[in-house]
Amino acid sequence: MTFHDFNFNEHLTEGILSMGYQTPTPIQEMAIPLILEGKDLIACAQTGTGKTASYLLPVLHKIALADEGHKTTALVLAPTRELAQQIDQQAEGLAYFTGLSSIAIYGGGDGIVYEQQRRGIQNKVDILIGTPGRLIAHLQSGVLKLDHIKYLILDEADRMLDMGFLGDIMRIIGDVPQHRQTLLFSATMPGPIRKLASSILKNPEQINLATSQPAEGISQQIYKLHNDQKSRLVVKLLKEGSYASTIIFANTKDEVKRLTRELKGSGIKANAFHSDFEQAEREQILLDFKNRALPVIIGTDALSRGIDVEGIDLVINYDVPADPEDYIHRIGRTARAETTGTAITLVNERDNRKLKNIEELIGRPIVQNPVPSELGEAPVFKEHKHHKRRRDNNRSKFRKKKHGNSGGSHHAGPKSH
Ligand code: AMP
């Protein structure tokens, strides 16, 4: 399949070419025809799959076709400033030759930013991309009107609910006309997301892009060790390896902070990335990391969703993630675009069972490295009997794919970007 098969407006096709996209990704192949048909859609897809363009392209095409004189007819809700900006950048690139415009509206910043956003909204943009809190502020001030919205998109819906935005989302949707097309994208589909979907979507089509296999180019390794050996091992790996860019994932914000302190104390240039930082600080940290000024960044799973950085050569899982899909997601930050990378997971006795679940999902054991002798003796774990991966039944039912050949053994990310 090529982009020509969608018969997009020629100016949009020019935009696609200028962005360097050659062939549609699996989520784009599946979602674009349904959205062009006017269907509501619930799609299980993660960052890195090309999900953003899978809704931006058909929506841009339809807006260009309707030619309604730049009323704001599309609203995208996104959890964070970073994601809203990334979506806006893609919208600008894709829409460049169509004459359509977009704006990102997000929280943080000073009065000047607020004022710029206020003026931006009044400038009749076609697509508005915003974080829920800031959109509410502009709705309350009376600047923002959503009467003309025809396309409502919720991006990373699971993360918006995790961040406590459900009330704000429902408030915003209350101002959007009932007669509309609604698209919901989420990396996971837990119960609250399905409940939200059933209350705001009409007869939705469902797409599931199971990313159950990591990219081929990732060298996956584990160390089985005691908790108190973990940070010393990380220091050794970082000091002795030749990694230009490393992401370290830990399960909790406290663990992120503690490890950051330890690494800094050992002379490693590292920074934490979490919600305690101001938006501007978070942006600066990400920018430093992207520019290679900061070689090591430490965060929770929130970081694995948001970050779109090329050329990360090492991912360290300081803890084993509870959900095996999160493991795939985390290590997918490396070896993107068919390059190679290393993913190292530290496993203590308590996490050994979670490791088994991951190995079951990827269908093979992960290579185990010996713990370096200077860290002391490695533990010997009691091995659990092989057991079934415990999952939320509804969730696995939902994951059954309905369209196309999304699941199974291939990596679903864009081939090159
Ligand atoms: P997303 O999953 O939407 O965050 O997209 C991940 C990255 O893939 C972004 O940098 C996009 O610009 C890029 N991308 C999206 N669609 C394609 C495509 N068809 N071919 C190549 N790159 C793409």
Side-chain angles (χ1 to χ4, degrees):
M1 188 173 237
T2 71
F3 280 111
H4 289 289
D5 297 324
F6 302 125
N7 286 323
F8 284 139
N9 164 317
E10 58 179 311
H11 301 300
L12 192 54
T13 305
E14 258 185 280
I16 296 170
L17 277 177
S18 74
M19 292 285 278
Y21 302 175
Q22 283 169 1
T23 48
T25 65
I27 182 81
Q28 291 164 1
E29 282 190 12
M30 288 185 272
I32 291 171
L34 294 172
I35 300 174
L36 287 174
E37 268 177 53
K39 298 276 194 326
D40 275 9
L41 177 68
I42 174 165
C44 192
Q46 301 170 335
T47 299
T49 55
K51 65 169 170 64
T52 315
S54 82
Y55 63 79
L56 284 178
L57 285 169
V59 166
L60 283 167
H61 173 80
K62 289 170 117 179
I63 298 175
L65 206 63
D67 192 14
E68 291 194 67
H70 304 301
K71 287 181 196 137
T72 304
T73 52
L75 174 66
V76 183
L77 301 181
T80 61
R81 171 185 183 143
E82 289 86 12
L83 185 66
Q85 286 174 325
Q86 278 175 31
I87 298 167
D88 187 37
Q89 280 160 11
Q90 270 194 64
E92 269 181 24
L94 293 171
Y96 190 80
F97 301 99
T98 63
L100 302 177
S101 60
S102 63
I103 186 174
I105 302 289
Y106 41 76
D110 49 19
I112 299 170
V113 173
Y114 188 90
E115 188 52 29
Q116 280 168 347
Q117 293 179 356
R118 200 179 68 80
R119 268 189 263 125
I121 293 169
Q122 289 171 327
N123 266 341
K124 299 194 170 178
V125 290
D126 298 278
I127 301 188
L128 188 69
I129 301 141
T131 53
R134 183 52 65 95
L135 285 174
I136 297 251
H138 286 294
L139 276 175
Q140 278 169 345
S141 76
V143 180
L144 179 59
K145 299 264 185 288
L146 301 174
D147 311 346
H148 298 290
I149 298 295
K150 290 177 163 178
Y151 312 102
L152 171 68
I153 298 121
L154 284 83
D155 199 343
E156 296 202 358
D158 51 351
R159 209 162 146 211
M160 286 201 278
L161 293 204
D162 284 351
M163 292 170 74
F165 283 139
L166 180 61
D168 286 355
I169 292 172
M170 296 314 288
R171 235 305 331 253
I172 293 165
I173 295 180
D175 276 22
V176 175
Q178 291 272 347
H179 185 69
R180 60 168 191 254
Q181 187 175 9
T182 311
L183 314 170
L184 182 148
F185 288 76
S186 190
T188 57
M189 287 292 161
I193 292 288
R194 275 178 279 113
K195 202 161 148 223
L196 170 68
S198 65
S199 71
I200 63 169
L201 296 153
K202 293 197 191 95
N203 301 323
E205 294 286 335
Q206 297 180 9
I207 290 177
N208 172 27
L209 199 78
T211 48
S212 295
Q213 288 303 322
E216 295 280 317
I218 308 177
S219 159
Q220 299 176 64
Q221 306 164 18
I222 54 166
Y223 287 88
K224 292 192 172 184
L225 73 185
H226 295 295
N227 249 357
D228 62 2
Q229 294 174 315
K230 282 185 175 182
S231 54
R232 284 183 290 145
L233 177 63
V234 173
V235 170
K236 186 175 160 64
L237 291 170
L238 294 177
K239 286 201 166 161
E240 293 177 8
S242 51
Y243 303 108
S245 275
T246 300
I247 300 188
I248 305 178
F249 290 110
N251 286 347
T252 64
K253 199 155 64 179
D254 283 344
E255 195 74 285
V256 168
K257 290 180 186 171
R258 200 188 52 71
L259 181 61
T260 309
R261 273 196 305 272
E262 279 200 55
L263 295 190
K264 282 183 171 169
S266 302
I268 289 170
K269 211 170 164 199
N271 228 330
F273 181 93
H274 53 69
S275 53
D276 285 1
F277 287 114
E278 292 291 321
Q279 288 281 8
E281 285 175 292
R282 281 162 48 179
E283 241 173 58
Q284 189 59 48
I285 294 168
L286 273 188
L287 197 67
D288 289 346
F289 185 66
K290 283 185 190 184
N291 294 340
R292 306 273 188 271
L294 176 71
V296 181
I297 192 167
I298 308 167
T300 59
D301 283 299
L303 180 61
S304 80
R305 302 254 177 90
I307 201 161
D308 184 18
V309 178
E310 310 270 324
I312 293 162
D313 23 37
L314 176 64
V315 170
I316 297 178
N317 290 310
Y318 193 73
D319 314 292
V320 184
D323 187 333
E325 300 271 354
D326 283 338
Y327 171 80
I328 309 271
H329 209 178
R330 287 180 179 188
I331 72 169
R333 298 308 95 202
T334 182
R336 302 186 86 185
E338 292 172 352
T339 56
T340 53
T342 305
I344 294 175
T345 302
L346 310 189
V347 187
N348 62 16
E349 176 137 34
R350 204 171 37 112
D351 283 350
N352 204 26
R353 188 178 283 272
K354 295 187 208 156
L355 171 70
K356 286 273 171 297
N357 293 343
I358 290 169
E359 291 180 329
E360 206 173 298
L361 180 69
I362 62 175
R364 63 193 147 91
I366 303 173
V367 175
Q368 183 176 346
N369 291 331
V371 175
S373 55
E374 69 255 42
L375 299 185
E377 207 160 314
V380 181
F381 298 161
K382 276 193 260 105
E383 288 304 323
H384 300 286
K385 285 232 174 72
H386 202 64
H387 70 287
K388 274 250 164 286
R389 198 149 55 93
R390 280 200 323 154
R391 303 201 62 148
D392 170 0
N393 270 341
N394 289 327
R395 186 173 154 185
S396 35
K397 246 185 259 160
F398 184 81
R399 278 175 181 274
K400 275 188 196 137
K401 58 181 191 257
K402 194 169 168 196
H403 291 280
N405 60 342
S406 59
S409 61
H410 74 271
H411 176 58
K415 284 276 180 285
S416 60
H417 58 271

